[in-house]
Each structure stands twice: as C-alpha cells, then as structure tokens.
Amino acid sequence: MTHIVNERVMVLLALFLVGGGLYAATFGQIYSSTETAQSPVFFPRIILALWMLLALAALVQAVRAPSDTAPVTSWPRLIVLLLAAVTYTNVIGREGFFLPSVVFAAISLPIFGIRNPLVVGLYAVAVPGALVLFFNHLLGMPLPVSRFTYLF
C-alpha cells in the first residue's frame, strides 16, 4: 500500500488534479466565436495541458517505481498545501496576482521545509513582484491586478 500511498504520489496526484480543474474551468469562458490565439484562454490552455501531461508522466513513474519512497509523513501539511492551492487559484482573479501570490508563497514555503523567516519573506515578495514587473510593466501582458491599485 505504501507503494501507491506515499508523499510523492499524493503531491503529483494533487498537481494533476489542480491542473485538470484549472483546465476544465477555461471551458465555461467564452471570449470569441473562434478558438484562435485571440482568445485569452488559448495560452493558459496550452500551459495547463503541458502541466497535466508532465504531472501525469511523473505520477505514472512514481507509481511504477520501487517503493523506496517514504509514506506520507504529514497528512495535515499536505491538506493545508492543497487547500492553499485551491484557495489561491480561486482568489487570484478577484484580488489580483501579487497579494494572493505573496500569501501563497508564505504558506507553501514553510510546508516545503524553508523556514528561515528572512528567506520566506524575501522570496514571497520578490518573486511575485518580479513577475508583476515583467508581465504587467515590461511585456504589456497584464496579470490580474489588485482592486486596490493598478500597480500590482
């Protein structure tokens, strides 16, 4: 049983399911009469399809590999990460990219073992900040912005 129910398999299954849920959510959105590159969901669908394909390949490999991996050591930690990911994907459209990304990074980094408060704080602000700067201000491909300010 530990061959299938171990931490690696559960995380990969969660990644596949989150990607599948996000991909399925794109089908209810209609932006144009054609399914071309002009649709705002065209690029995200490609990325999500690749995400699901890679997660599925890694999941199959993890299930087929010998069970030298450890069983799930902390179910609550895994559940908190899953709930944080689901909440993050649902909040990002309403509250913008930056603020939910900072909160998600501040929650997920300690779960993955990075517990230095300085590193967590810097990473949680610097990475989403760099992505907002890059996409919104340099490329002109806006990420969702906060209702508080257009800057992030």
Side-chain angles (χ1 to χ4, degrees):
M1 187 68 170
T2 61
H3 177 66
I4 294 175
V5 182
N6 61 54
E7 193 163 354
R8 183 174 180 193
V9 171
M10 291 295 121
V11 168
L12 289 170
L13 181 62
L15 280 172
F16 178 75
L17 292 175
V18 167
L22 290 171
Y23 190 83
T26 65
F27 287 108
Q29 303 171 355
I30 299 172
Y31 294 98
S32 65
S33 61
T34 60
E35 286 293 322
T36 63
Q38 284 76 30
S39 173
V41 294
F42 177 77
F43 185 66
R45 280 185 185 163
I46 292 172
I47 297 300
L48 289 170
L50 290 173
W51 172 345
M52 290 172 23
L53 182 68
L54 289 172
L56 184 63
L59 180 62
V60 168
Q61 181 184 17
V63 169
R64 294 185 68 199
S67 65
D68 59 345
T69 57
V72 176
T73 55
S74 176
W75 283 100
R77 197 173 67 177
L78 186 62
I79 290 169
V80 166
L81 182 62
L82 241 126
L83 290 174
V86 169
T87 304
Y88 173 70
T89 56
N90 286 309
V91 169
I92 198 169
R94 284 180 277 129
E95 301 301 326
F97 174 79
F98 182 74
L99 296 175
S101 296
V102 169
V103 173
F104 180 70
I107 292 171
S108 62
L109 289 174
I111 289 174
F112 286 117
I114 301 169
R115 290 182 170 66
N116 183 336
L118 181 63
V119 172
V120 170
L122 284 175
Y123 187 90
V125 172
V127 171
L131 289 171
V132 166
L133 177 70
F134 186 68
F135 280 98
N136 286 13
H137 303 290
L138 295 177
L139 289 178
M141 298 173 58
L143 295 169
V145 293
S146 172
R147 59 184 160 157
F148 307 112
T149 178
Y150 73 94
L151 295 175
F152 59 85

